[in-house]
Amino acid sequence: MRSSFPILVLLMLALLSGGGRAAELDPYTVQQTFCRFPFSQVVPLGESGAWGVIYADTYGKLRVLRYTSKGWRLDWELSNLGAKIANFIVYDLDDDGTFELIVATVDGRILIYSMEDYSYIWENLEMRFESIATMEIANTDTDSQPEFIVLAENKLHIIDSLNKSRQWSSTRMFDAVEIVVDNVDKDDQLEIILNTGVVIDSRFYNIEVEWDKPFGERIMTCDMNNDGYPEVVGEFSDYSLRIFDVYAEREVW
């Protein structure tokens, strides 16, 4: 798992927020620390302005730490997954103002929990996969609910988040480890971007761009040249970057 460092960061933050520190932490400050780690996130906890940090560790456990005036407190721990976590996302699936936690494991499980009381909601028992590399959530079509974009068993699957039905599965195999969903060209619909250099139209599922190089091991999108279209920014294991303009189909830097 790529994000083992949050545990050390949390220990440092716990020390800083102890009795010897007068100023309290705020979510924005902590987010600046944790934004570097893909398997950690600052999240709201309840309606009273409470907040905390959710993170996955190297042993396949997921923890929620609540920040209080006296320091960090373990709010919840998910420890029975039986495998490492491929990805987790906190998302308001029903657009009702409450958030759900969606967890994908490397051995093919997708589970949904309520962020209100951490209760179990759903698991893909009738649609199990042998393995999951990564998962993303976005509204890729014209209906009101978002879709799960899952790279499982080396194929891309689109799953409706409302009725949990599979809308589409690719026939082609992909060996990507990261997905980003964004509108990176001049059409109206989103694109599904794989870190291996493949860009897929989210409406017709055709491949729009297939570059002969990977974008990076970790990717994000940002409008780097101020042309109105986000570029794909990729980071490699040596921390070097590659920036690719999908609209112009060329490497920028």
Side-chain angles (χ1 to χ4, degrees):
M1 186 169 294
R2 296 168 294 177
S3 182
S4 59
F5 295 113
I7 301 174
L8 298 177
V9 177
L10 287 170
L11 291 175
M12 290 187 289
L13 290 174
L15 291 173
L16 290 173
S17 59
R21 182 180 174 92
E24 292 190 0
L25 294 173
D26 62 88
Y28 177 79
T29 301
V30 177
Q31 182 61 43
Q32 301 316 298
T33 301
F34 278 87
C35 66
R36 181 67 178 83
F37 306 110
F39 282 5
S40 62
Q41 186 177 343
V42 175
V43 290
L45 299 174
E47 299 179 355
S48 59
W51 60 278
V53 172
I54 181 171
Y55 74 96
D57 69 14
T58 58
Y59 305 103
K61 296 181 180 180
L62 190 142
R63 295 183 176 92
V64 178
L65 296 184
R66 180 183 292 266
Y67 179 70
T68 72
S69 59
K70 297 181 180 179
W72 296 96
R73 186 189 78 197
L74 180 63
D75 213 43
W76 182 60
E77 180 179 75
L78 182 59
S79 58
N80 60 349
L81 293 173
K84 289 186 177 182
I85 294 173
N87 199 6
F88 73 84
I89 300 169
V90 177
Y91 200 102
D92 184 359
L93 293 174
D94 305 318
D95 196 24
D96 60 358
T98 62
F99 288 86
E100 287 76 39
L101 168 66
I102 303 93
V103 181
T105 68
V106 297
D107 67 346
R109 299 174 72 187
I110 302 174
L111 304 101
I112 302 177
Y113 296 86
S114 168
M115 283 297 293
E116 294 291 299
D117 57 6
Y118 306 119
S119 58
Y120 167 87
I121 297 175
W122 178 82
E123 182 177 351
N124 61 328
L125 296 175
E126 299 181 359
M127 188 174 41
R128 285 296 301 270
F129 301 107
E130 292 296 324
S131 63
I132 292 177
T134 189
M135 173 188 65
E136 190 52 76
I137 298 176
N139 193 342
T140 60
D141 54 26
T142 57
D143 58 27
S144 58
Q145 69 271 5
E147 284 70 45
F148 301 156
I149 301 101
V150 184
L151 189 58
E153 299 170 352
N154 295 108
K155 292 185 178 182
L156 197 62
H157 306 269
I158 309 297
I159 301 170
D160 186 281
S161 68
L162 179 62
N163 56 35
K164 311 302 186 295
S165 62
R166 189 169 356 202
Q167 295 183 348
W168 176 79
S169 294
S170 68
T171 56
R172 175 173 167 174
M173 309 286 278
F174 300 100
D175 60 354
V177 296
E178 190 151 300
I179 296 170
V180 169
V181 181
D182 201 350
N183 187 357
V184 292
D185 58 19
K186 64 180 180 179
D187 58 30
D188 294 331
Q189 65 265 14
L190 298 169
E191 280 74 44
I192 300 169
I193 305 156
L194 308 183
N195 71 293
T196 48
V198 177
V199 180
I200 301 170
D201 182 282
S202 67
R203 181 179 180 183
F204 300 107
Y205 306 123
N206 59 292
I207 294 178
E208 293 187 348
V209 175
E210 186 166 7
W211 202 31
D212 58 357
K213 303 175 185 177
F215 293 138
E217 294 170 6
R218 288 168 54 180
I219 57 175
M220 60 171 285
T221 56
C222 181
D223 187 359
M224 299 294 295
N225 56 11
N226 199 32
D227 64 352
Y229 304 101
E231 281 72 51
V232 179
V233 183
E235 180 188 56
F236 292 84
S237 58
D238 62 356
Y239 305 112
S240 61
L241 298 181
R242 172 173 286 153
I243 301 175
F244 186 80
D245 188 329
V246 175
Y247 176 61
E249 297 189 20
R250 64 181 180 87
E251 188 170 357
V252 179
W253 300 333

PDB file of all heavy atoms in Angstrom, residues 64-89:
ATOM      1  N   VAL A  64     -10.758   5.807  11.672  1.00  0.00           N
ATOM      2  CA  VAL A  64     -11.218   7.185  11.717  1.00  0.00           C
ATOM      3  C   VAL A  64     -10.778   7.764  13.053  1.00  0.00           C
ATOM      4  O   VAL A  64     -11.149   7.249  14.111  1.00  0.00           O
ATOM      5  CB  VAL A  64     -12.751   7.288  11.578  1.00  0.00           C
ATOM      6  CG1 VAL A  64     -13.192   8.745  11.677  1.00  0.00           C
ATOM      7  CG2 VAL A  64     -13.222   6.676  10.265  1.00  0.00           C
ATOM      8  N   LEU A  65      -9.972   8.814  13.009  1.00  0.00           N
ATOM      9  CA  LEU A  65      -9.537   9.514  14.203  1.00  0.00           C
ATOM     10  C   LEU A  65     -10.280  10.841  14.298  1.00  0.00           C
ATOM     11  O   LEU A  65     -10.256  11.638  13.357  1.00  0.00           O
ATOM     12  CB  LEU A  65      -8.030   9.767  14.181  1.00  0.00           C
ATOM     13  CG  LEU A  65      -7.118   8.536  14.199  1.00  0.00           C
ATOM     14  CD1 LEU A  65      -5.663   8.976  14.265  1.00  0.00           C
ATOM     15  CD2 LEU A  65      -7.435   7.629  15.370  1.00  0.00           C
ATOM     16  N   ARG A  66     -10.935  11.067  15.413  1.00  0.00           N
ATOM     17  CA  ARG A  66     -11.674  12.312  15.644  1.00  0.00           C
ATOM     18  C   ARG A  66     -10.767  13.297  16.369  1.00  0.00           C
ATOM     19  O   ARG A  66     -10.123  12.957  17.367  1.00  0.00           O
ATOM     20  CB  ARG A  66     -12.927  12.041  16.468  1.00  0.00           C
ATOM     21  CG  ARG A  66     -13.768  13.283  16.775  1.00  0.00           C
ATOM     22  CD  ARG A  66     -14.938  12.914  17.655  1.00  0.00           C
ATOM     23  NE  ARG A  66     -15.890  12.086  16.919  1.00  0.00           N
ATOM     24  CZ  ARG A  66     -16.950  12.543  16.286  1.00  0.00           C
ATOM     25  NH1 ARG A  66     -17.208  13.865  16.292  1.00  0.00           N
ATOM     26  NH2 ARG A  66     -17.771  11.729  15.659  1.00  0.00           N
ATOM     27  N   TYR A  67     -10.738  14.538  15.869  1.00  0.00           N
ATOM     28  CA  TYR A  67      -9.954  15.564  16.540  1.00  0.00           C
ATOM     29  C   TYR A  67     -10.797  16.219  17.625  1.00  0.00           C
ATOM     30  O   TYR A  67     -11.935  16.631  17.392  1.00  0.00           O
ATOM     31  CB  TYR A  67      -9.474  16.621  15.554  1.00  0.00           C
ATOM     32  CG  TYR A  67      -8.677  17.714  16.223  1.00  0.00           C
ATOM     33  CD1 TYR A  67      -7.411  17.447  16.733  1.00  0.00           C
ATOM     34  CD2 TYR A  67      -9.215  18.983  16.387  1.00  0.00           C
ATOM     35  CE1 TYR A  67      -6.691  18.446  17.372  1.00  0.00           C
ATOM     36  CE2 TYR A  67      -8.502  19.981  17.028  1.00  0.00           C
ATOM     37  CZ  TYR A  67      -7.234  19.703  17.519  1.00  0.00           C
ATOM     38  OH  TYR A  67      -6.524  20.686  18.164  1.00  0.00           O
ATOM     39  N   THR A  68     -10.247  16.308  18.835  1.00  0.00           N
ATOM     40  CA  THR A  68     -10.916  16.961  19.944  1.00  0.00           C
ATOM     41  C   THR A  68      -9.968  17.999  20.540  1.00  0.00           C
ATOM     42  O   THR A  68      -8.790  18.065  20.185  1.00  0.00           O
ATOM     43  CB  THR A  68     -11.309  15.946  21.040  1.00  0.00           C
ATOM     44  OG1 THR A  68     -10.122  15.510  21.734  1.00  0.00           O
ATOM     45  CG2 THR A  68     -12.010  14.732  20.433  1.00  0.00           C
ATOM     46  N   SER A  69     -10.477  18.784  21.473  1.00  0.00           N
ATOM     47  CA  SER A  69      -9.648  19.797  22.120  1.00  0.00           C
ATOM     48  C   SER A  69      -8.526  19.184  22.945  1.00  0.00           C
ATOM     49  O   SER A  69      -7.553  19.854  23.282  1.00  0.00           O
ATOM     50  CB  SER A  69     -10.522  20.693  23.012  1.00  0.00           C
ATOM     51  OG  SER A  69     -11.173  19.909  24.004  1.00  0.00           O
ATOM     52  N   LYS A  70      -8.660  17.895  23.256  1.00  0.00           N
ATOM     53  CA  LYS A  70      -7.645  17.198  24.039  1.00  0.00           C
ATOM     54  C   LYS A  70      -6.742  16.316  23.174  1.00  0.00           C
ATOM     55  O   LYS A  70      -5.915  15.576  23.697  1.00  0.00           O
ATOM     56  CB  LYS A  70      -8.309  16.350  25.118  1.00  0.00           C
ATOM     57  CG  LYS A  70      -9.093  17.166  26.135  1.00  0.00           C
ATOM     58  CD  LYS A  70      -9.717  16.272  27.196  1.00  0.00           C
ATOM     59  CE  LYS A  70     -10.495  17.100  28.216  1.00  0.00           C
ATOM     60  NZ  LYS A  70     -11.127  16.246  29.255  1.00  0.00           N
ATOM     61  N   GLY A  71      -6.918  16.390  21.875  1.00  0.00           N
ATOM     62  CA  GLY A  71      -6.081  15.596  20.977  1.00  0.00           C
ATOM     63  C   GLY A  71      -6.906  14.639  20.133  1.00  0.00           C
ATOM     64  O   GLY A  71      -8.123  14.799  19.982  1.00  0.00           O
ATOM     65  N   TRP A  72      -6.266  13.636  19.578  1.00  0.00           N
ATOM     66  CA  TRP A  72      -6.923  12.689  18.681  1.00  0.00           C
ATOM     67  C   TRP A  72      -7.542  11.541  19.467  1.00  0.00           C
ATOM     68  O   TRP A  72      -6.983  11.059  20.441  1.00  0.00           O
ATOM     69  CB  TRP A  72      -5.917  12.122  17.674  1.00  0.00           C
ATOM     70  CG  TRP A  72      -5.360  13.155  16.759  1.00  0.00           C
ATOM     71  CD1 TRP A  72      -4.186  13.831  16.899  1.00  0.00           C
ATOM     72  CD2 TRP A  72      -5.959  13.646  15.560  1.00  0.00           C
ATOM     73  NE1 TRP A  72      -4.008  14.721  15.868  1.00  0.00           N
ATOM     74  CE2 TRP A  72      -5.078  14.626  15.027  1.00  0.00           C
ATOM     75  CE3 TRP A  72      -7.142  13.368  14.890  1.00  0.00           C
ATOM     76  CZ2 TRP A  72      -5.358  15.306  13.848  1.00  0.00           C
ATOM     77  CZ3 TRP A  72      -7.420  14.047  13.717  1.00  0.00           C
ATOM     78  CH2 TRP A  72      -6.531  15.001  13.211  1.00  0.00           C
ATOM     79  N   ARG A  73      -8.720  11.073  18.979  1.00  0.00           N
ATOM     80  CA  ARG A  73      -9.420   9.953  19.600  1.00  0.00           C
ATOM     81  C   ARG A  73      -9.876   8.991  18.508  1.00  0.00           C
ATOM     82  O   ARG A  73     -10.409   9.419  17.479  1.00  0.00           O
ATOM     83  CB  ARG A  73     -10.642  10.470  20.367  1.00  0.00           C
ATOM     84  CG  ARG A  73     -11.369   9.392  21.169  1.00  0.00           C
ATOM     85  CD  ARG A  73     -12.672   9.940  21.712  1.00  0.00           C
ATOM     86  NE  ARG A  73     -13.699   9.972  20.678  1.00  0.00           N
ATOM     87  CZ  ARG A  73     -14.817  10.690  20.758  1.00  0.00           C
ATOM     88  NH1 ARG A  73     -15.023  11.480  21.790  1.00  0.00           N
ATOM     89  NH2 ARG A  73     -15.718  10.638  19.790  1.00  0.00           N
ATOM     90  N   LEU A  74      -9.633   7.707  18.722  1.00  0.00           N
ATOM     91  CA  LEU A  74     -10.090   6.706  17.762  1.00  0.00           C
ATOM     92  C   LEU A  74     -11.608   6.650  17.778  1.00  0.00           C
ATOM     93  O   LEU A  74     -12.226   6.304  18.778  1.00  0.00           O
ATOM     94  CB  LEU A  74      -9.502   5.331  18.101  1.00  0.00           C
ATOM     95  CG  LEU A  74      -9.900   4.189  17.155  1.00  0.00           C
ATOM     96  CD1 LEU A  74      -9.389   4.429  15.742  1.00  0.00           C
ATOM     97  CD2 LEU A  74      -9.397   2.847  17.685  1.00  0.00           C
ATOM     98  N   ASP A  75     -12.219   6.996  16.645  1.00  0.00           N
ATOM     99  CA  ASP A  75     -13.673   7.040  16.542  1.00  0.00           C
ATOM    100  C   ASP A  75     -14.238   5.726  16.020  1.00  0.00           C
ATOM    101  O   ASP A  75     -15.330   5.313  16.415  1.00  0.00           O
ATOM    102  CB  ASP A  75     -14.084   8.187  15.609  1.00  0.00           C
ATOM    103  CG  ASP A  75     -15.400   8.822  16.009  1.00  0.00           C
ATOM    104  OD1 ASP A  75     -15.605   9.044  17.218  1.00  0.00           O
ATOM    105  OD2 ASP A  75     -16.223   9.103  15.107  1.00  0.00           O
ATOM    106  N   TRP A  76     -13.497   5.077  15.127  1.00  0.00           N
ATOM    107  CA  TRP A  76     -13.983   3.832  14.522  1.00  0.00           C
ATOM    108  C   TRP A  76     -12.826   3.136  13.845  1.00  0.00           C
ATOM    109  O   TRP A  76     -11.893   3.772  13.355  1.00  0.00           O
ATOM    110  CB  TRP A  76     -15.072   4.148  13.494  1.00  0.00           C
ATOM    111  CG  TRP A  76     -15.688   2.954  12.838  1.00  0.00           C
ATOM    112  CD1 TRP A  76     -16.351   1.928  13.441  1.00  0.00           C
ATOM    113  CD2 TRP A  76     -15.717   2.658  11.429  1.00  0.00           C
ATOM    114  NE1 TRP A  76     -16.797   1.021  12.518  1.00  0.00           N
ATOM    115  CE2 TRP A  76     -16.416   1.450  11.263  1.00  0.00           C
ATOM    116  CE3 TRP A  76     -15.214   3.313  10.310  1.00  0.00           C
ATOM    117  CZ2 TRP A  76     -16.628   0.884  10.011  1.00  0.00           C
ATOM    118  CZ3 TRP A  76     -15.426   2.750   9.065  1.00  0.00           C
ATOM    119  CH2 TRP A  76     -16.126   1.543   8.917  1.00  0.00           C
ATOM    120  N   GLU A  77     -12.886   1.801  13.842  1.00  0.00           N
ATOM    121  CA  GLU A  77     -11.867   1.007  13.160  1.00  0.00           C
ATOM    122  C   GLU A  77     -12.536  -0.121  12.394  1.00  0.00           C
ATOM    123  O   GLU A  77     -13.365  -0.841  12.946  1.00  0.00           O
ATOM    124  CB  GLU A  77     -10.867   0.432  14.164  1.00  0.00           C
ATOM    125  CG  GLU A  77      -9.769  -0.412  13.513  1.00  0.00           C
ATOM    126  CD  GLU A  77      -8.788  -0.956  14.532  1.00  0.00           C
ATOM    127  OE1 GLU A  77      -9.143  -1.912  15.246  1.00  0.00           O
ATOM    128  OE2 GLU A  77      -7.673  -0.408  14.618  1.00  0.00           O
ATOM    129  N   LEU A  78     -12.183  -0.258  11.139  1.00  0.00           N
ATOM    130  CA  LEU A  78     -12.656  -1.352  10.299  1.00  0.00           C
ATOM    131  C   LEU A  78     -11.493  -2.314  10.130  1.00  0.00           C
ATOM    132  O   LEU A  78     -10.515  -2.013   9.439  1.00  0.00           O
ATOM    133  CB  LEU A  78     -13.124  -0.805   8.944  1.00  0.00           C
ATOM    134  CG  LEU A  78     -13.692  -1.798   7.936  1.00  0.00           C
ATOM    135  CD1 LEU A  78     -14.905  -2.525   8.510  1.00  0.00           C
ATOM    136  CD2 LEU A  78     -14.062  -1.086   6.647  1.00  0.00           C
ATOM    137  N   SER A  79     -11.578  -3.472  10.777  1.00  0.00           N
ATOM    138  CA  SER A  79     -10.422  -4.361  10.846  1.00  0.00           C
ATOM    139  C   SER A  79     -10.691  -5.775  10.345  1.00  0.00           C
ATOM    140  O   SER A  79      -9.838  -6.642  10.451  1.00  0.00           O
ATOM    141  CB  SER A  79      -9.923  -4.441  12.300  1.00  0.00           C
ATOM    142  OG  SER A  79     -10.957  -4.906  13.159  1.00  0.00           O
ATOM    143  N   ASN A  80     -11.875  -6.017   9.769  1.00  0.00           N
ATOM    144  CA  ASN A  80     -12.239  -7.376   9.363  1.00  0.00           C
ATOM    145  C   ASN A  80     -12.335  -7.540   7.850  1.00  0.00           C
ATOM    146  O   ASN A  80     -13.076  -8.382   7.352  1.00  0.00           O
ATOM    147  CB  ASN A  80     -13.557  -7.782  10.007  1.00  0.00           C
ATOM    148  CG  ASN A  80     -14.711  -6.863   9.604  1.00  0.00           C
ATOM    149  OD1 ASN A  80     -14.487  -5.807   9.014  1.00  0.00           O
ATOM    150  ND2 ASN A  80     -15.928  -7.255   9.930  1.00  0.00           N
ATOM    151  N   LEU A  81     -11.604  -6.733   7.113  1.00  0.00           N
ATOM    152  CA  LEU A  81     -11.685  -6.803   5.652  1.00  0.00           C
ATOM    153  C   LEU A  81     -10.990  -8.035   5.091  1.00  0.00           C
ATOM    154  O   LEU A  81     -11.343  -8.522   4.019  1.00  0.00           O
ATOM    155  CB  LEU A  81     -11.086  -5.534   5.038  1.00  0.00           C
ATOM    156  CG  LEU A  81     -11.865  -4.243   5.311  1.00  0.00           C
ATOM    157  CD1 LEU A  81     -11.094  -3.032   4.798  1.00  0.00           C
ATOM    158  CD2 LEU A  81     -13.244  -4.293   4.681  1.00  0.00           C
ATOM    159  N   GLY A  82      -9.966  -8.514   5.746  1.00  0.00           N
ATOM    160  CA  GLY A  82      -9.283  -9.722   5.295  1.00  0.00           C
ATOM    161  C   GLY A  82      -8.301  -9.501   4.169  1.00  0.00           C
ATOM    162  O   GLY A  82      -7.721 -10.460   3.661  1.00  0.00           O
ATOM    163  N   ALA A  83      -8.102  -8.258   3.754  1.00  0.00           N
ATOM    164  CA  ALA A  83      -7.160  -7.957   2.676  1.00  0.00           C
ATOM    165  C   ALA A  83      -6.831  -6.481   2.735  1.00  0.00           C
ATOM    166  O   ALA A  83      -7.520  -5.690   3.390  1.00  0.00           O
ATOM    167  CB  ALA A  83      -7.749  -8.307   1.311  1.00  0.00           C
ATOM    168  N   LYS A  84      -5.776  -6.096   2.033  1.00  0.00           N
ATOM    169  CA  LYS A  84      -5.422  -4.684   1.973  1.00  0.00           C
ATOM    170  C   LYS A  84      -6.460  -3.903   1.174  1.00  0.00           C
ATOM    171  O   LYS A  84      -7.198  -4.465   0.361  1.00  0.00           O
ATOM    172  CB  LYS A  84      -4.039  -4.514   1.348  1.00  0.00           C
ATOM    173  CG  LYS A  84      -2.905  -4.986   2.247  1.00  0.00           C
ATOM    174  CD  LYS A  84      -1.554  -4.657   1.632  1.00  0.00           C
ATOM    175  CE  LYS A  84      -0.423  -5.062   2.567  1.00  0.00           C
ATOM    176  NZ  LYS A  84       0.905  -4.698   2.009  1.00  0.00           N
ATOM    177  N   ILE A  85      -6.486  -2.614   1.413  1.00  0.00           N
ATOM    178  CA  ILE A  85      -7.460  -1.747   0.757  1.00  0.00           C
ATOM    179  C   ILE A  85      -6.880  -1.229  -0.555  1.00  0.00           C
ATOM    180  O   ILE A  85      -5.771  -0.702  -0.589  1.00  0.00           O
ATOM    181  CB  ILE A  85      -7.833  -0.583   1.698  1.00  0.00           C
ATOM    182  CG1 ILE A  85      -8.574  -1.137   2.927  1.00  0.00           C
ATOM    183  CG2 ILE A  85      -8.695   0.450   0.979  1.00  0.00           C
ATOM    184  CD1 ILE A  85      -8.833  -0.115   3.994  1.00  0.00           C
ATOM    185  N   ALA A  86      -7.651  -1.390  -1.632  1.00  0.00           N
ATOM    186  CA  ALA A  86      -7.234  -0.868  -2.933  1.00  0.00           C
ATOM    187  C   ALA A  86      -7.516   0.620  -3.045  1.00  0.00           C
ATOM    188  O   ALA A  86      -6.747   1.366  -3.639  1.00  0.00           O
ATOM    189  CB  ALA A  86      -7.944  -1.624  -4.057  1.00  0.00           C
ATOM    190  N   ASN A  87      -8.630   1.034  -2.463  1.00  0.00           N
ATOM    191  CA  ASN A  87      -8.979   2.458  -2.434  1.00  0.00           C
ATOM    192  C   ASN A  87     -10.189   2.634  -1.532  1.00  0.00           C
ATOM    193  O   ASN A  87     -10.970   1.694  -1.329  1.00  0.00           O
ATOM    194  CB  ASN A  87      -9.297   2.975  -3.832  1.00  0.00           C
ATOM    195  CG  ASN A  87      -9.205   4.499  -3.924  1.00  0.00           C
ATOM    196  OD1 ASN A  87      -8.798   5.159  -2.971  1.00  0.00           O
ATOM    197  ND2 ASN A  87      -9.570   5.058  -5.058  1.00  0.00           N
ATOM    198  N   PHE A  88     -10.353   3.823  -0.975  1.00  0.00           N
ATOM    199  CA  PHE A  88     -11.584   4.169  -0.276  1.00  0.00           C
ATOM    200  C   PHE A  88     -11.959   5.594  -0.643  1.00  0.00           C
ATOM    201  O   PHE A  88     -11.103   6.433  -0.908  1.00  0.00           O
ATOM    202  CB  PHE A  88     -11.451   3.991   1.245  1.00  0.00           C
ATOM    203  CG  PHE A  88     -10.608   5.039   1.921  1.00  0.00           C
ATOM    204  CD1 PHE A  88     -11.156   6.260   2.299  1.00  0.00           C
ATOM    205  CD2 PHE A  88      -9.276   4.806   2.183  1.00  0.00           C
ATOM    206  CE1 PHE A  88     -10.383   7.239   2.915  1.00  0.00           C
ATOM    207  CE2 PHE A  88      -8.491   5.771   2.803  1.00  0.00           C
ATOM    208  CZ  PHE A  88      -9.050   6.984   3.169  1.00  0.00           C
ATOM    209  N   ILE A  89     -13.273   5.857  -0.648  1.00  0.00           N
ATOM    210  CA  ILE A  89     -13.788   7.166  -1.052  1.00  0.00           C
ATOM    211  C   ILE A  89     -14.937   7.535  -0.124  1.00  0.00           C
ATOM    212  O   ILE A  89     -15.811   6.704   0.161  1.00  0.00           O
ATOM    213  CB  ILE A  89     -14.284   7.139  -2.510  1.00  0.00           C
ATOM    214  CG1 ILE A  89     -13.133   6.760  -3.460  1.00  0.00           C
ATOM    215  CG2 ILE A  89     -14.886   8.482  -2.919  1.00  0.00           C
ATOM    216  CD1 ILE A  89     -13.580   6.458  -4.878  1.00  0.00           C
TER     217      ILE A  89
END
